[in-house]
Amino acid sequence: MAVDIEQYKKDLLAQGAEVVFSKTKNLTDTPFSYCGGCGHGVAHRLIMEVIEEMGITADTIGVAPVGCAVIAYEFWNIDAVQAAHGRATAVATGIKRTNPEKFVFSYQGDGDLAAIGTAETVHTCNRGENIAIFFINNGIYGMTGGQMAPTSLIGMRSSTAPYGRQHDVHGYPLSLTNLLAELPGTYYVTRQAVETAAHVRTCKKAIRQAFENQKLNKGVSLVEIVTNCNSGWKMTAPQANKWMKENMFPQYPLGDIKVPKTE
Amino acid sequence: MAEEIQLLKGNEAIAEAAIRCGADAYFGYPITPQSEIIEYLAQEDPYNKRTGMVVLQAESEVAAINMVYGAASTGKKAMTSSSSPGMSLKQEGISYLAGAELPCLIVNVARGGPGLGTIQPSQADYFQTVKGGGHGDYNMIVLAPYTVQEQYDFVKLGFDLAFKYSNPVMILSDGAIGQMMEKVTLSAQVPRETKDYGWNVLGKSENRERRYITSLYLQSEVMEQKNLKIQAKYAEIRKNEIRYEEIQTDDADYILVAYGISARIARKVIRLARAEGIKVGMLRPITLWPFPSARLKELAPKVQGMLTVEMSAGQMIEDVRLAVEGAVPVKHYGRMGGIIASPTEVFINFKKLFNIA
Amino acid sequence: MAKIKGFVELNIEHCKGCELCVDACPFDVLEMSAQVNGKGYTYPFMKNPEQCTGCASCALVCPDVVITVYKVPTKQ
């Protein structure tokens, strides 16, 4: 080996090297339960970093319903509530209405937000609750072992659509985010991803925006994050990211869908 | 200070009591025969006019009970109300509330079923209410008012018990109590206040560990420990909170067991019976869970029979039979479909069932 | 202009070997190990440490927050 790594590090420290990136203290030391390469970890980290950077940990309550992130409270070093499947935004409504001064967010998967919780999601957005909704869309039910999601793509194979999703049998991929953007109760709606460093940076800005918006009392901020599920998709993590770019992004294009009008 | 007395409908009494006992939030969805609760609250507008109490019409009973779950997680006094079909929808949320050990008040102004049933009063939700209508091993403390005054008083009592034991409390009323008007002695306004109970999520400050509200324990051993803890709490509730009323049981040869509107019918039956020289008394369970089993067992050897008067096919009768352990015959008389039996009708059938000439 | 220099520290036992950091590195610094960690996953190491600029691209995409990034501040 050409370089003694330990010596190299010592040399750089001697030259004044300092930490420019480390784990936020808003994450616990418990290792994530997610599969290697899963986007949940990055999404968790970004939300926790934003809360730390804004200095609002003591005023933030998170809600994690059923899905892969159901035990998110094991990883988030903040106060949190686990909710029943699909009910996250109703729970968040109950928290926010009785604690309007707190920052409240829900963290939901596609099954939770766009299937079993559709009514709660639509009506929370329609009421314009002053909460942030983080919506993790990976087109499959990861926690229960790879079943079809409302957001599964046409032709996409899953354990409950083993021959691929067919629109005449299973319906079409549901882009609830776009529908929600139509509601006057949503203030900020954007679709992001976390598979490249550039996308991670943009996504973090969107998450920050979603929290900042809560100070304005102008309605729901919804950040959809399109992520991979390499286990559910039966791929390696790098393959999954490539597949996501080629297949998920055309169906769920990244970018802002509804941005606050500048006054 | 002079007593404040008002003529109130049973449903209005619930709403007024909620405001006065310092409730923080009501979340509900309209359903007959209890919509006056949310209507009264909307009219009174406690958020703007009286205490700052949140009143919100949810998109469904499912959403409403989960809003209660959210508010309760932060230590707020939150409540919801509904009637039978709506209560079925709330069962998931109630199981979660019990599992997460959250305090809240749920009111069921029951109507006839099954299915969409009728809008007339019924007591056919007894099983659902006292046996835990949702999934898993859990119980709610269940209070059964039989006057509008009790309907009023049990709101504060319900919240007090809910917070004492960190457990959901249910008021099991019925369409008759909900709809009828009686005079109510009102209590003084109590201010709203939120305490740090050590478990409620308020935002994690630097100097304490994070808190989380959950009913999920993936490891069986941990889940069992959680269950044992909850069961120990239930044992404590059984020890401390059994409430009932006895009317003329001292010399009784027969005991009527009835709650809610049926207890009012039964009270009249006692008079009809005693006029004919038949010594009838009544035990009225006020808490349906925990059930006054021990007292019934005590009374059993002193009487010749017990009759449950219920507006159902006979549900509480099972608990009475379990209580007396076969020591005495237990019969049931009741009407279904929203029909309230008349005292005379109950009396005639009581005599038939016990072969009294 | 002097080259920007940095390095990464890895919490090897928390790594699940997804290799996303290797893909994300613009300077081909990282490579997967031949060994496995306590959980049985291979993990990244700095194959070309001198190439590292401390840009944190690897850390930004790491789903398990395994990577701490150091950088020598550039003199103004």
Side-chain angles (χ1 to χ4, degrees):
Chain A
M1 198 174 279
V3 184
D4 179 340
I5 291 177
E6 292 312 314
Q7 188 55 48
Y8 184 73
K9 288 178 189 172
K10 272 183 199 158
D11 291 349
L12 292 195
L13 286 170
Q15 291 171 37
E18 47 195 43
V19 174
V20 290
F21 180 96
S22 63
K23 188 171 176 172
T24 166
K25 64 179 194 301
N26 274 352
L27 286 169
T28 64
D29 292 331
T30 311
F32 292 141
S33 53
Y34 310 114
C35 308
C38 173
H40 270 304
V42 180
H44 278 14
R45 193 194 83 224
L46 295 181
I47 295 167
M48 292 305 119
E49 282 177 356
V50 165
I51 293 168
E52 185 185 14
E53 287 162 18
M54 287 176 70
I56 57 172
T57 307
D59 296 306
T60 302
I61 301 168
V63 181
V66 174
C68 283
V70 69
I71 53 165
Y73 54 77
E74 296 278 4
F75 316 124
W76 301 344
N77 195 17
I78 62 167
D79 278 7
V81 180
Q82 176 254 315
H85 199 16
R87 318 301 172 220
T89 59
V91 172
T93 297
I95 297 172
K96 185 72 178 188
R97 285 283 177 133
T98 52
N99 299 271
E101 74 290 357
K102 302 287 180 195
F103 292 85
V104 179
F105 72 92
S106 69
Y107 184 99
Q108 307 173 252
D110 39 45
D112 194 81
L113 180 133
I116 192 168
T118 309
E120 285 80 1
T121 307
V122 169
H123 284 278
T124 300
C125 288
N126 194 47
R127 286 191 302 268
E129 300 293 342
N130 292 302
I131 62 167
I133 300 175
F134 302 114
F135 166 31
I136 309 298
N137 175 10
N138 56 18
I140 203 154
Y141 284 35
M143 184 205 211
T144 44
Q147 295 82 11
M148 184 176 58
T151 50
S152 292
L153 304 180
I154 294 294
M156 192 171 162
R157 289 166 188 266
S158 56
S159 66
T160 49
Y163 307 107
R165 181 176 193 157
Q166 298 165 259
H167 69 82
D168 53 347
V169 179
H170 309 107
Y172 295 91
L174 177 59
S175 181
L176 196 58
T177 303
N178 293 75
L179 287 172
L180 296 169
E182 297 293 316
L183 302 175
T186 51
Y187 182 62
Y188 171 55
V189 180
T190 184
R191 187 179 288 118
Q192 301 289 329
V194 290
E195 92 293 8
T196 64
H199 282 163
V200 168
R201 287 194 182 92
T202 320
C203 184
K204 187 169 173 181
K205 282 187 192 136
I207 291 168
R208 171 93 190 207
Q209 186 68 52
F211 276 101
E212 294 284 355
N213 287 346
Q214 286 197 49
K215 296 176 187 166
L216 307 173
N217 289 332
K218 287 196 171 165
V220 169
S221 294
L222 171 62
V223 182
E224 173 178 337
I225 305 172
V226 182
T227 59
N228 61 338
C229 176
N230 35 303
S231 293
W233 298 354
K234 317 259 182 278
M235 298 173 192
T236 65
Q239 282 169 349
N241 277 351
K242 186 165 173 282
W243 190 89
M244 177 168 67
K245 203 168 129 190
E246 290 165 1
N247 299 278
M248 291 287 279
F249 292 172
Q251 179 74 38
Y252 303 107
L254 305 186
D256 290 340
I257 298 167
K258 185 177 192 177
V259 286
K261 289 186 195 79
T262 44
E263 291 172 15
Chain B
M1 203 178 97
E3 272 192 341
E4 202 179 341
I5 293 172
Q6 213 173 319
L7 184 67
L8 284 175
K9 225 180 187 185
N11 287 334
E12 294 170 341
I14 295 271
E16 183 61 32
I19 299 171
R20 291 202 181 219
C21 78
D24 293 298
Y26 171 94
F27 304 100
Y29 186 84
I31 180 171
T32 308
Q34 62 80 55
S35 298
E36 292 88 352
I37 299 175
I38 187 170
E39 285 170 351
Y40 186 96
L41 287 168
Q43 184 73 35
E44 281 294 310
D45 192 11
Y47 185 79
N48 292 304
K49 293 180 187 161
R50 288 169 68 176
T51 60
M53 173 187 179
V54 172
V55 179
L56 183 62
Q57 178 173 335
E59 63 270 28
S60 68
E61 286 89 349
V62 176
I65 192 74
N66 280 284
M67 290 173 185
V68 168
Y69 180 97
S73 296
T74 67
K76 301 287 180 183
K77 275 175 147 177
M79 67 179 290
T80 184
S81 69
S82 190
S83 182
S84 309
M87 291 316 298
S88 294
L89 284 170
K90 290 189 196 289
Q91 294 305 319
E92 175 201 45
I94 295 173
S95 173
Y96 276 71
L97 282 154
E101 295 194 76
L102 291 176
C104 70
L105 182 67
I106 304 155
V107 181
N108 180 5
V109 183
R111 59 189 247 186
L116 196 50
T118 169
I119 59 170
Q120 305 299 331
S122 166
Q123 295 181 318
D125 293 355
Y126 179 89
F127 281 152
Q128 184 200 57
T129 310
V130 307
K131 308 293 179 191
H135 57 285
D137 281 315
Y138 76 89
N139 284 106
M140 283 179 288
I141 298 171
V142 182
L143 301 167
Y146 92 138
T147 60
V148 177
Q149 182 70 54
E150 279 194 350
Q151 186 108 318
Y152 180 93
D153 294 339
F154 288 179
V155 171
K156 181 181 183 300
L157 175 64
F159 272 124
D160 288 349
L161 291 171
F163 277 82
K164 182 174 176 190
Y165 294 102
S166 259
N167 206 65
V169 171
M170 168 88 77
I171 293 179
L172 181 58
S173 183
D174 57 65
I177 304 282
Q179 290 297 324
M180 70 190 195
M181 296 188 87
E182 285 184 318
K183 74 168 188 179
V184 178
T185 305
L186 302 175
S187 49
Q189 178 67 55
V190 174
R192 294 190 309 117
E193 57 163 352
T194 303
K195 291 183 198 148
D196 186 338
Y197 297 98
W199 54 260
N200 46 336
V201 291
L202 299 161
K204 182 196 169 297
S205 54
E206 280 284 338
N207 51 15
R208 71 156 166 84
E209 290 294 299
R210 73 190 192 286
R211 293 174 186 168
Y212 49 86
I213 304 294
T214 186
S215 59
L216 176 73
Y217 301 89
L218 286 166
Q219 281 175 285
S220 304
E221 296 77 12
V222 183
M223 186 74 248
E224 187 179 46
Q225 284 308 312
K226 174 72 183 177
N227 267 292
L228 290 170
K229 177 178 173 267
I230 293 176
Q231 291 301 323
K233 177 174 82 178
Y234 294 161
E236 193 67 15
I237 296 171
R238 280 196 195 92
K239 206 171 78 190
N240 301 334
E241 306 300 344
I242 291 171
R243 288 169 167 77
Y244 57 88
E245 184 192 12
E246 286 181 42
I247 297 175
Q248 292 179 273
T249 50
D250 297 348
D251 63 342
D253 292 324
Y254 295 92
I255 285 181
L256 307 178
V257 187
Y259 67 93
I261 188 71
S262 293
R264 296 171 77 116
I265 314 296
R267 210 168 47 179
K268 176 77 177 170
V269 174
I270 296 173
R271 287 211 292 273
L272 295 176
R274 290 198 176 246
E276 290 190 14
I278 309 165
K279 287 179 185 162
V280 173
M282 171 168 74
L283 186 137
R284 174 173 76 93
I286 294 170
T287 51
L288 298 179
W289 195 92
F291 194 69
S293 307
R295 181 58 186 153
L296 283 165
K297 192 182 175 185
E298 225 169 60
L299 289 169
K302 300 174 190 166
V303 300
Q304 295 174 39
M306 293 191 183
L307 177 78
T308 67
V309 186
E310 303 177 72
M311 288 161 65
S312 70
Q315 298 191 10
M316 184 178 63
I317 185 174
E318 293 193 3
D319 283 335
V320 178
R321 282 184 173 153
L322 283 169
V324 303
E325 295 176 0
V328 69
V330 181
K331 313 270 186 189
H332 161 258
Y333 184 75
R335 298 289 298 270
M336 290 176 281
I339 294 172
I340 305 174
S342 74
T344 314
E345 177 187 348
V346 175
F347 182 48
I348 291 168
N349 283 281
F350 156 75
K351 286 197 285 188
K352 265 192 214 160
L353 286 163
F354 287 104
N355 298 314
I356 302 167
Chain C
M1 195 184 94
K3 188 188 167 302
I4 303 164
K5 284 188 279 189
F7 67 91
V8 295
E9 290 278 15
L10 298 148
N11 183 354
I12 288 164
E13 287 309 313
H14 280 208
C15 179
K16 294 174 188 150
C18 72
E19 305 185 22
L20 291 181
C21 55
V22 177
D23 276 18
C25 176
F27 302 111
D28 196 27
V29 173
L30 299 170
E31 189 175 271
M32 296 307 283
S33 65
Q35 304 86 358
V36 292
N37 65 12
K39 291 178 186 158
Y41 295 113
T42 58
Y43 52 87
F45 71 98
M46 290 205 290
K47 179 185 62 176
N48 302 310
E50 299 108 316
Q51 306 284 341
C52 181
T53 64
C55 74
S57 290
C58 55
L60 288 176
V61 300
C62 174
D64 289 286
V65 207
V66 165
I67 305 171
T68 306
V69 184
Y70 292 76
K71 193 175 185 176
V72 180
T74 44
K75 294 183 183 72
Q76 295 300 312

